[in-house]
Amino acid sequence: MPRRRRGGGHKANLERASKSVIQQMGWRIPVNTDRPTEPLDEDGVHAIHNAAMRVLEEIGIEFLNSESTEILREAGCSVDGTNVRMGRDFVMEMVEHCPSQFTMTPRNPGRQVIIGGRHMVFGNVSSPPSTYNLDDGKQVGTRRTFRELMKLTQYFNCIHIACGYPVEPVDLHPSTRHLDCLFDKLTISDKVVHAYSLGRERVEDVMEMVRIAGGHTHEEFDASAKFFTNINSTSPLKHDKPMLDGAMRMARRGQAVFVTPFTLAGAMAPVTMPGAVTQSIAEGLAAIALLQFINPGAPCVFGTFTSNVDMRSGAPAFGTPEYVRATQMTGQMCRFYDIPLRASNACAANVPDAQSVWESSNSLWSAVQSGVNVVYHSAGWLEGGLIACPEKFVMDCELLQQTQRYFESELTRTREEDLALDAIREVGPHGHFFGALHTQERYTSAFYEPFLSDWRNFEAWQLDGGVWTAQRANTLYKKILEEFTPPPMDDAVREELADFVTRRKAEGGAPTDY
């Protein structure tokens, strides 16, 4: 199959995204310039490592997929039914194959992302069954709201990858939902997309659709990562059948797999945070070892989702002090293993209120402190992941832009002109810097300029209607949707994608039971 060329320049496409409704920052992959926070000393790191290895050696992990257990038996692991115990030497040998950094290139090469090192990539909210906005309240997800959130995902330059479904469109039949959703994702957005790792059909269909959208031959597609999946362990100590199936298919073709244990302390993991992190490390490394045995060097990311629960209700809690420390500890462990790390911008708040902001701020800054490479659910998450909210999406993007600005080197440069001795001498003890030449030359770009925050005093804000933050976000997201223009796609490519969707629907799509 010959490579196709899309119409429209990549540079023009990126520039267009930054215009219109708001003045936002241009497309960039942030680089975390900070030294990570490390709550564990060297003995603590080795203690968690040793405990995780003992879990793998002495207790084992349940692999509820017969193909995976046969592969691990071939690798020399001890297999008893679905229980697999693996030695630490084998695990560490496999982990050494895992690349510490890799790229993912979508249909628009200008949207390529770097995963690993000090790079930090943000993704949209993923997989809630419901939406909430100030006009309609809480509603079940539909294809319309799915498409609206995908437009926000494409519009904001601080969102680098399109994780999962930003809301589950339950009005689409489960057997063919992935076909409609990926068609929408690939035509509304030109960023890296995600496939749900739910068995053969869904993963194989999405791989083919991503290949078609990128105009790749099969060889070109397999040569490097073009998209990704995320699998969760069924904590405690289990990996399920369809997720393993999809992950193994992805690894064989060189596509990225994020392995994220679902370890909530006090419920699916020990109530102590080091114990919960230990279990998480064991569950995650077990799956990564399997994938590296299948295809050494396949791109993998370790995901942390370790938090605590409300012990009064059992509900998940996020953005807590425990969540922050667990993320920091997992960051230390991933640097110990030299593998990329994924975390989340999570909160437990039900509406876009103050609680949602402080919990998300805690989550986001814990990612910064921990050297996280991929932040899932960076924008739009509410109710512990059960709600996607467009107002919260806009509010979170303000936070993400501020984080990107925080990383910029000009804030800490110490050149002579940055130290500003001439300006200090000019102004002296009796003047001000507003009129200084040094200020006049720099004032338009010296500071971060928000698109959502209101920095006016109370009287000015009140005279202008006294609009609270969430309401301002409501107005902004609706303006963005009104003016949204999808990125260009070659007509022949779009037609081939549509034909593929039509054919696979006629064939029945994917089974809904395993």
Side-chain angles (χ1 to χ4, degrees):
M1 178 179 175
R3 178 189 294 273
R4 294 183 178 83
R5 300 294 180 188
R6 292 175 299 281
H10 303 316
K11 182 178 180 181
N13 186 30
L14 296 182
E15 289 175 349
R16 182 183 57 200
S18 66
K19 297 178 180 178
S20 193
V21 179
I22 65 172
Q23 285 296 320
Q24 60 172 314
M25 299 173 79
W27 169 269
R28 70 195 68 183
I29 304 301
V31 175
N32 188 341
T33 54
D34 280 9
R35 186 175 300 168
T37 299
E38 299 194 330
L40 298 171
D41 59 19
E42 186 176 354
D43 289 343
V45 170
H46 285 283
I48 289 180
H49 167 68
N50 184 60
M53 294 302 105
R54 290 188 62 189
V55 171
L56 294 173
E57 291 172 332
E58 301 171 16
I59 301 171
I61 305 293
E62 298 293 315
F63 283 78
L64 307 181
N65 179 296
S66 58
E67 181 185 7
S68 69
T69 54
E70 288 308 307
I71 291 171
L72 290 169
R73 191 193 306 274
E74 176 189 341
C77 300
S78 175
V79 179
D80 182 8
T82 58
N83 182 268
V84 178
R85 285 175 290 144
M86 49 185 71
R88 67 185 66 200
D89 290 343
F90 167 74
V91 174
M92 294 305 292
E93 180 185 352
M94 294 301 104
V95 168
E96 286 180 2
H97 293 304
C98 190
S100 59
Q101 182 171 302
F102 60 91
T103 61
M104 293 191 292
T105 308
R107 70 177 180 90
N108 179 355
R111 301 287 195 182
Q112 182 185 80
V113 295
I114 305 170
I115 307 298
R118 288 182 171 268
H119 300 93
M120 195 172 191
V121 170
F122 301 126
N124 60 314
V125 62
S126 174
S127 304
S130 301
T131 60
Y132 172 92
N133 65 51
L134 299 187
D135 302 307
D136 305 315
K138 184 177 179 180
Q139 296 184 329
V140 69
T142 63
R143 189 177 189 182
R144 177 183 64 82
T145 52
F146 168 90
R147 289 173 59 85
E148 288 177 351
L149 288 160
M150 274 307 306
K151 290 175 182 178
L152 295 180
T153 298
Q154 173 66 15
Y155 176 83
F156 280 101
N157 291 329
C158 59
I159 301 297
H160 306 104
I161 58 176
C163 302
Y165 302 163
V167 69
E168 195 74 25
V170 298
D171 55 342
L172 298 176
H173 194 279
S175 63
T176 56
R177 184 179 299 166
H178 66 289
L179 297 167
D180 288 324
C181 286
L182 264 295
F183 181 84
D184 287 346
K185 291 182 81 167
L186 289 167
T187 53
I188 291 173
S189 177
D190 60 0
K191 298 178 181 180
V192 170
V193 300
H194 159 281
Y196 283 108
S197 187
L198 296 173
R200 175 176 66 87
E201 293 83 3
R202 289 179 178 84
V203 168
E204 296 285 354
D205 284 346
V206 176
M207 281 198 279
E208 183 63 6
M209 292 177 74
V210 171
R211 187 191 68 79
I212 291 170
H216 303 297
T217 66
H218 290 284
E219 292 75 17
E220 290 170 339
F221 178 83
D222 293 351
S224 63
K226 309 297 190 300
F227 77 123
F228 68 105
T229 191
N230 179 85
I231 68 169
N232 300 107
S233 56
T234 309
S235 303
L237 306 179
K238 289 188 292 294
H239 286 286
D240 71 19
K241 177 181 177 180
M243 281 198 168
L244 285 172
D245 182 281
M248 291 188 292
R249 293 176 187 278
M250 292 280 287
R252 288 189 182 101
R253 297 193 64 182
Q255 303 307 306
V257 180
F258 299 2
V259 180
T260 309
F262 201 149
T263 42
L264 294 179
M268 295 98 83
V271 74
T272 56
M273 301 317 292
V277 170
T278 293
Q279 181 184 308
S280 173
I281 295 297
E283 292 177 1
L285 292 187
I288 289 174
L290 166 68
L291 300 177
Q292 293 303 316
F293 183 78
I294 290 172
N295 183 10
C300 290
V301 174
F302 188 100
T304 177
F305 207 71
T306 301
S307 191
N308 55 295
V309 296
D310 178 358
M311 296 305 289
R312 294 170 297 182
S313 66
F318 297 102
T320 63
E322 292 79 11
Y323 176 90
V324 172
R325 281 305 195 196
T327 305
Q328 292 169 349
M329 287 189 284
T330 308
Q332 284 189 260
M333 300 310 300
C334 283
R335 287 188 293 279
F336 177 78
Y337 299 119
D338 197 22
I339 53 179
L341 173 63
R342 176 229 132 161
S344 300
N345 179 11
C347 70
N350 297 308
V351 293
D353 60 3
Q355 178 186 335
S356 77
V357 175
W358 75 60
E359 290 176 348
S360 281
S361 294
N362 286 345
S363 296
L364 181 59
W365 280 104
S366 74
V368 172
Q369 295 167 345
S370 305
V372 167
N373 303 114
V374 182
V375 183
Y376 249 60
H377 314 298
S378 294
W381 162 299
L382 287 175
E383 201 195 358
L386 297 178
I387 289 176
C389 172
E391 290 93 351
K392 181 64 162 43
F393 199 111
V394 173
M395 292 162 66
D396 284 331
C397 285
E398 180 81 281
L399 275 175
L400 299 180
Q401 283 207 157
Q402 292 182 21
T403 303
Q404 291 188 161
R405 172 60 174 167
Y406 169 83
F407 289 144
E408 290 181 355
S409 60
E410 68 184 81
L411 296 182
T412 54
R413 282 192 311 230
T414 55
R415 302 172 306 179
E416 184 175 354
E417 57 265 39
D418 299 309
L419 297 173
L421 286 175
D422 287 343
I424 296 170
R425 184 176 294 110
E426 174 191 346
V427 172
H430 303 297
H432 60 74
F433 286 86
F434 283 113
L437 178 62
H438 186 271
T439 303
Q440 293 297 309
E441 291 174 341
R442 294 165 174 79
Y443 77 95
T444 58
S445 60
F447 307 131
Y448 174 76
E449 185 173 348
F451 64 83
L452 182 63
S453 298
D454 190 330
W455 288 351
R456 297 172 295 177
N457 65 23
F458 183 87
E459 287 74 19
W461 169 79
Q462 190 175 48
L463 284 172
D464 198 27
V467 182
W468 287 47
T469 305
Q471 187 60 58
R472 295 198 300 272
N474 175 275
T475 300
L476 270 182
Y477 97 76
K478 287 187 285 190
K479 287 183 178 179
I480 291 170
L481 295 182
E482 287 173 5
E483 299 190 17
F484 179 82
T485 301
M489 173 178 275
D490 185 90
D491 289 341
V493 173
R494 187 183 183 93
E495 183 178 351
E496 186 174 358
L497 273 176
D499 289 345
F500 179 84
V501 169
T502 300
R503 176 172 64 81
R504 287 292 296 123
K505 282 185 174 181
E507 294 170 351
T512 55
D513 296 306
Y514 284 89

